[in-house]
Amino acid sequence: MPTEWTEMALGELCLKITDGSHSSPPSVPFGKPMASVKDLTPFGLDLKDARNISIFDYDLLVKQECQPKVGDVLIAKDGNSALDTTCLVKEPLSVVLLSSVAILRPNPKKLLPEYLKQYLSSPETISYLKSEFISGGVIPRVILKDFKRAIVKLPSIREQRRIAHILGTLDDKIENNRKTAKTLEAMAQAIFQSWFVDFDPVRAKMAGESPESICKRLKLTPEILDLFPDRLVDSELGEIPEGWGNVPFSECVTIIGGGTPKTSVLEYWDGNIPWFSIVDAPIGDGIWVVDTEKKISESGLNNSSTRILPIGTTIITARGTVGRVAIVGVPMAMNQSCYGLRGKYDELGFFTHFSTRLIIKRLLQHAHGSVFDTSTRDTLESIEVTLPPTGIIDWFERTISLAMERLKQYSEETQIVTMLRDTLLPKLISGETRVPEAEHFMETVMSGKA
């Protein structure tokens, strides 16, 4: 720690350290959101899955100061993820919190909220806090009266501001990329849903809508619209467009298995070949995988059952947390807990990817979380899907290819920015790296010179 920095207890630096409500009002269909630790992300509260409580209960909890304010720092307080996730409240929120989330309100004359957020996000800080302030018991929990004794390494306000600005800029870039990628993914998903699930072009023709109107409303070209029939026919899967067929999904793809090089042979590992396992599967809105936690060598590849998956291969996880789906963005190998799917009718792999996501969604809905009862191959052979003509599949891939390529670019950029953030965060917070050095490092990496 630099000599000009000081150390102070968190309780001395905060105007308030508290948590959310220790009572849990009943849920209602419509009302105001009540968030818990599961709704906490590094970028803020994600309320899309938060439950609602009545206006009466909400107002009561607001009076009990369970509502976060702008400038508050929120941190996971209870559960297995205690102390792992911290965020900064940047704008007014109409939400109240449960006690699983702690609310820290720093004194801005001593400790900037933006700096505290970054400080509490450092792996070294998290390790220190967990070793000192997690209580025993079945459910890990932070005792706030003890937590106030946590030591914070404190530079000057000016230095706090500069450190927070660098790290906050990287966080903002990651979050903006995530939001843009989510929008692009939704666009591609909507087209797949319209063409291959809802059959909107066919239904529009059946309704007598003019070709000009259909093309304008569904954003189609006349050439694409002509490929769709004007009639639905009955099938075992329900109504499908005339001329389309139902086939086992296994007939639409080539199924590829994975493998793991011997972990006892050091020369098989730490090479330059990405090796996909379940920890690399995108969570939430991600599609592309452009990097992996572990790498293997050429020797590891040649001395195991794994193989290189080409770009555009869809990967599904079949053990552990089953049913996660990703699309390969760079050539990579994978372990035996996953399967790769190469489409037989789509050149780029996008139709196979979105078809797989649809199948997994349906399996999860009917199997209550158990997707593959026997084996992935057996499951895929037992599932029938509606197969359109290859001409429509080709146009689908051409239509979404720009959005998918941009999605991949955002994934690659986010990987670089995340590496920057993860590298600089502990060094800046500890004082090992000073702001001018960090700025130079950022410029070097982002310019592609590193």
Side-chain angles (χ1 to χ4, degrees), residues 76-83 133-143:
K77 171 179 159 288
D78 298 342
N80 293 328
S81 63
L83 299 175
F133 301 107
I134 292 285
S135 68
V138 178
I139 301 176
R141 179 170 287 116
V142 176
I143 307 300

Side-chain angles (χ1 to χ4, degrees), residues 188 288 348 350 395-407:
W288 291 99
L348 301 177
F350 301 153
W395 269 110
F396 168 72
E397 297 212 313
R398 291 162 64 181
T399 300
I400 71 166
S401 61
L402 179 59
M404 293 293 287
E405 185 58 34
R406 287 180 64 195
L407 266 171

Side-chain angles (χ1 to χ4, degrees), residues 305-362:
S305 59
T306 193
R307 66 189 79 177
I308 294 293
L309 303 173
I311 294 173
T313 302
T314 288
I315 297 178
I316 52 176
T317 59
R319 297 190 185 99
T321 305
V322 300
R324 289 188 182 172
V325 184
I327 188 167
V328 171
V330 296
M332 65 179 60
M334 66 178 178
N335 72 6
Q336 66 274 13
S337 296
C338 308
Y339 284 86
L341 305 177
R342 288 294 298 171
K344 296 179 179 180
Y345 303 103
D346 54 343
E347 180 180 355
L348 301 177
F350 301 153
F351 178 77
T352 295
H353 177 77
F354 285 101
S355 296
T356 303
R357 290 173 62 172
L358 178 64
I359 288 169
I360 295 298
K361 181 179 178 181
R362 290 174 175 171

Side-chain angles (χ1 to χ4, degrees), residues 3 55 66 74 137 151 172-173 183 207 253 294 319 365 406-407 443:
T3 56
I55 302 295
C66 296
L74 310 181
I151 297 299
D172 289 344
K173 181 62 177 174
T183 300
V253 296
K294 295 181 180 179
R319 297 190 185 99
Q365 288 174 342
R406 287 180 64 195
L407 266 171
E443 290 173 5

Side-chain angles (χ1 to χ4, degrees), residues 21 158 162 206 237 291:
S21 172
R158 179 175 179 272
R162 296 175 71 192
M206 292 172 61
L237 297 179
D291 194 20

Side-chain angles (χ1 to χ4, degrees), residues 273-290:
I273 301 172
W275 182 77
F276 181 97
S277 65
I278 189 170
V279 299
D280 304 302
I283 299 175
D285 308 310
I287 286 186
W288 291 99
V289 173
V290 295

Side-chain angles (χ1 to χ4, degrees), residues 432-446:
E432 178 184 343
T433 296
R434 308 311 292 265
V435 170
E437 298 172 79
E439 291 173 338
H440 176 71
F441 181 63
M442 285 176 59
E443 290 173 5
T444 302
V445 172
M446 296 307 290

Side-chain angles (χ1 to χ4, degrees), residues 88-264:
L88 174 66
V89 179
K90 298 181 180 180
E91 58 187 13
L93 297 174
S94 294
V95 63
V96 290
L97 303 173
L98 273 168
S99 61
S100 57
V101 179
I103 305 171
L104 312 181
R105 190 164 298 157
N107 181 345
K109 294 180 181 180
K110 300 178 180 179
L111 177 62
L112 296 181
E114 296 84 359
Y115 178 81
L116 178 60
K117 186 269 180 188
Q118 300 296 343
Y119 188 85
L120 294 175
S121 300
S122 170
E124 287 75 9
T125 302
I126 293 172
S127 178
Y128 154 66
L129 294 176
K130 284 189 173 183
S131 67
E132 296 289 333
F133 301 107
I134 292 285
S135 68
V138 178
I139 301 176
R141 179 170 287 116
V142 176
I143 307 300
L144 291 184
K145 65 180 179 62
D146 297 330
F147 194 57
K148 294 178 181 180
R149 295 187 286 103
I151 297 299
V152 178
K153 296 176 182 178
L154 207 63
S156 67
I157 289 292
R158 179 175 179 272
E159 190 73 1
Q160 289 180 42
R161 184 174 290 108
R162 296 175 71 192
I163 292 172
H165 174 72
I166 288 179
L167 298 173
T169 298
L170 296 174
D171 281 343
D172 289 344
K173 181 62 177 174
I174 294 170
E175 175 65 355
N176 289 336
N177 280 5
R178 188 191 71 82
K179 289 179 178 178
T180 304
K182 184 177 181 180
T183 300
L184 291 170
E185 180 185 347
M187 290 168 52
Q189 179 66 52
I191 294 173
F192 180 86
Q193 179 77 23
S194 176
W195 291 20
F196 304 117
V197 180
D198 299 332
F199 312 128
D200 287 335
V202 180
R203 296 185 187 280
K205 284 185 174 183
M206 292 172 61
E209 190 174 345
S210 70
E212 294 79 9
S213 175
I214 297 173
C215 288
K216 182 178 181 180
R217 181 170 62 85
L218 299 180
K219 296 180 174 59
L220 303 174
T221 65
E223 186 176 7
I224 297 174
L225 182 61
D226 287 343
L227 295 174
F228 286 89
D230 58 5
R231 184 168 175 245
L232 294 172
V233 297
D234 291 330
S235 78
E236 292 183 357
L237 297 179
E239 289 187 325
I240 64 172
E242 187 176 38
W244 297 21
N246 295 332
V247 298
F249 186 60
S250 59
E251 293 185 11
C252 302
V253 296
T254 298
I255 303 174
I256 307 168
T260 301
K262 287 185 178 179
T263 56
S264 59

